[in-house]
Amino acid sequence: MLVARDIMTPNPVTVRPDDPLGVAVERMRSRRCRRLPVVEGDRLVGIITDRDVRLALNSPLVLHERRSDQLLLEHVPVRACMTPDPITVSPDTPLIEVVRLMRDHKFGGVPVVEGDRLVGIITETDLMDLLIRLLEFGVDEIPWSRMRRPERASAFPIPSGAPSSNASRRA
């Protein structure tokens, strides 16, 4: 059985709560990631995402000019925008539980901790890498017909008698 430690990214790039938002943005850009654990020492205290930063810079409640963004990036601390005490998993959490947690909460990533010490992170990219390996090396042995999800009801029901293909719905 696969567990979190099998696919996590160990020792992820982090920021501190008192770092300015600009530091978080630069680390996300340079590492090409969308979230950073926030730590004090090696203790996880939060997580900040690119969405958190966008919301802080583009608040509909505060009108400002674009040049003000630089001031915000330099002076607003990560702690003002991060999610404190994020949901976490341990290195021994079964991967199926991690995936369900991410799906159910619509998380793009989840920190991996031992106690309150950050040891890694699992992201959508880690899961996609695993899927690629499965597809390349052994997915043919899996009985996929037994694993298909039941069909979901369409969010946009098609009237009876109407064609059901996507091509026929384009206008």
Side-chain angles (χ1 to χ4, degrees), residues 2 13 15 24 46 52 78 107 122 130 160 168:
L2 289 172
V13 176
V15 289
D52 297 328
V78 165
F107 291 157
I122 294 178
L130 174 63
S160 61
S168 64

Side-chain angles (χ1 to χ4, degrees), residues 87-106:
I87 293 173
T88 62
V89 297
S90 80
D92 297 318
T93 302
L95 195 54
I96 189 71
E97 290 181 30
V98 175
V99 172
R100 283 187 178 127
L101 174 76
M102 290 174 63
R103 182 201 59 199
D104 292 350
H105 291 281
K106 299 190 184 314

Side-chain angles (χ1 to χ4, degrees), residues 45-59:
V45 296
I47 193 162
I48 188 163
T49 67
D50 59 344
R51 182 174 186 265
D52 297 328
V53 174
R54 283 193 315 274
L55 289 172
L57 296 179
N58 299 308
S59 171

Side-chain angles (χ1 to χ4, degrees), residues 8-19:
M8 73 181 191
T9 299
N11 306 311
V13 176
T14 63
V15 289
R16 296 180 318 242
D18 294 325
D19 285 338

